[in-house]
Amino acid sequence: MAKVGPPRARGSYRGRGQRRPPTWEISDSDTEGAASAEADSEAATRARDPAEERRAAAEALRLLRPEQALRRLTVLVDPAILEDAGADILMEALGSLGCEYHIEPQRPSRSLRWSRVKPEPCLKSVPAELLAAGEQELLLLLEPEEFLQGVFQLTQICGPTCSVPWISPESPTCPHLAVIGLDAYLWSHQPNAQEMRRLESPGTACAEVVVGWPEVEEALVLLQLWANLDVLLVASWQELSQHVCAFTKALAQRPFKQLQESKAFSFCTAGRWVAGERVTRDGTGLRGAWWRQIRQFNRVSPAVADAVVTAFPSPRLLQKAYLACSTEQERLALLADLPVKVDGGGQLRRVGPDLSRRICLFLTSTNPDLLLDLSS
């Protein structure tokens, strides 16, 4: 009679010697993680693609150009400025400039700010500080009477320890002041003889009368030294509009200029000549680099450079030849009689004493201020 073994677990085997493959449950979070990982890998692949990087850099450079950046710049104008009759001139100038302007309440009142549109994704490679240039700029318009009251406070009341008016210490902005018609206001409010006698009596103080151009000039110096605060004095809204337009254009140009200045040799453009001649460790390319160096001298043709390089294939060989010379004159004239091949025959040419002297001085002189070319 056969023995009966222990019962097998149902479903634990599928056929002889084969285990049932394990199963897993896929949750929504796993799906999202896989999708995000795939998106990150695609983004990394695009980032590593040199062609894509070049296209993104070219597009970023295009958007940073002044004409494009000006369209992405917004001037925020406080509604209180529009209460003046001459504000229409400013609005017309901003409209013809090509940038946007919005009427929004600003703090402090009667001020203008500049803001940039949210940058494009291709501008992520550009440093954030370049894109934020101009975000902290503010132009505050002051009435002549208000400005003179601040001048009186700066020059006569509090002395050097006085806090600068119109500026909040906790504000991160860089304010600039603008006063329209200050000269005309001072001339129209000059005190007569009777008022001067009244002002000279003790106990009299009137800021809008006693403040004149000497006090204004003193206050301008104090504002520049203490707070690095510029004050724009204009005679009309037309002059103010011209200043605002010029300042807006300068802000649009600032990121592009700073980006160009941050690059090494920003004056170099892409081209075959920029790469120069590559010289390897075994000396390959040295002859071409030496030939290019000879060509950099003034009035040196390719045929003349060929003659020098053929006689001395490297600058080290030429330096050794200079050391073998016994006199200075012999060194200066070492290359003068080298023959130069001219295409199509014709008269025999030589390197000449002038170029021979210049090359000799270039390789042997230790004076950095020495002028090689006497004809320049």
Side-chain angles (χ1 to χ4, degrees), residues 189-256:
H189 288 74
Q190 280 186 343
N192 53 33
Q194 183 179 359
E195 291 175 340
M196 289 297 296
R197 287 193 298 268
R198 181 174 60 85
L199 292 174
E200 291 174 358
S201 62
T204 302
C206 183
E208 64 177 2
V209 176
V210 300
V211 175
W213 273 115
E215 290 78 16
V216 171
E217 294 175 352
E218 180 182 355
L220 294 179
V221 174
L222 294 178
L223 290 173
Q224 182 67 42
L225 294 180
W226 291 350
N228 193 24
L229 185 63
D230 296 326
V231 181
L232 175 67
L233 303 178
V234 293
S236 63
W237 278 91
Q238 183 68 32
E239 293 185 20
L240 178 66
S241 302
Q242 293 175 358
H243 172 79
V244 171
C245 292
F247 189 77
T248 305
K249 291 180 180 180
L251 286 182
Q253 296 173 0
R254 184 184 297 178
F256 182 78

Side-chain angles (χ1 to χ4, degrees), residues 294 313 330 372:
I294 296 298
E330 185 179 355
L372 298 180

Side-chain angles (χ1 to χ4, degrees), residues 319-332 334:
Q319 286 180 332
K320 290 182 178 180
Y322 285 140
L323 293 176
C325 296
S326 56
T327 63
E328 180 68 16
Q329 295 298 327
E330 185 179 355
R331 280 193 292 270
L332 293 175
L334 179 63

Side-chain angles (χ1 to χ4, degrees), residues 105-316:
Q106 303 297 321
R107 296 186 61 184
S109 180
R110 291 181 57 83
S111 63
L112 291 87
R113 293 176 185 266
W114 286 263
S115 176
R116 298 185 186 276
V117 182
K118 186 178 179 181
E120 299 286 345
C122 62
L123 293 177
K124 292 182 178 180
S125 59
V126 180
E129 57 271 13
L130 295 183
L131 297 178
E135 295 286 347
Q136 306 300 328
E137 301 291 347
L138 179 147
L139 180 63
L140 177 60
L141 303 184
L142 297 176
E143 295 290 346
E145 181 179 357
E146 181 184 3
F147 178 71
L148 292 178
Q149 290 175 356
V151 169
F152 183 79
Q153 178 183 350
L154 280 174
T155 58
Q156 299 184 20
I157 296 181
C158 298
T161 60
C162 171
S163 60
V164 179
W166 322 293
I167 298 179
S168 176
E170 62 273 8
S171 176
T173 57
C174 303
H176 305 269
L177 303 182
V179 185
I180 302 176
L182 179 63
D183 193 11
Y185 183 88
L186 287 175
W187 278 107
S188 64
H189 288 74
Q190 280 186 343
N192 53 33
Q194 183 179 359
E195 291 175 340
M196 289 297 296
R197 287 193 298 268
R198 181 174 60 85
L199 292 174
E200 291 174 358
S201 62
T204 302
C206 183
E208 64 177 2
V209 176
V210 300
V211 175
W213 273 115
E215 290 78 16
V216 171
E217 294 175 352
E218 180 182 355
L220 294 179
V221 174
L222 294 178
L223 290 173
Q224 182 67 42
L225 294 180
W226 291 350
N228 193 24
L229 185 63
D230 296 326
V231 181
L232 175 67
L233 303 178
V234 293
S236 63
W237 278 91
Q238 183 68 32
E239 293 185 20
L240 178 66
S241 302
Q242 293 175 358
H243 172 79
V244 171
C245 292
F247 189 77
T248 305
K249 291 180 180 180
L251 286 182
Q253 296 173 0
R254 184 184 297 178
F256 182 78
K257 289 184 177 180
Q258 291 181 347
L259 182 63
Q260 294 297 99
E261 292 174 357
S262 64
K263 296 180 179 179
F265 303 107
S266 58
F267 53 85
C268 292
T269 57
R272 182 176 178 273
W273 66 273
V274 180
E277 190 76 23
R278 184 178 179 83
V279 180
T280 60
R281 290 181 176 273
D282 60 356
T284 304
L286 177 59
R287 184 186 180 94
W290 175 228
W291 185 88
R292 285 171 176 257
Q293 193 170 19
I294 296 298
R295 285 277 289 138
Q296 290 179 359
F297 287 90
N298 290 337
R299 303 180 304 280
V300 175
S301 63
V304 173
D306 289 338
V308 176
V309 172
T310 301
F312 300 95
S314 71
R316 176 64 64 183

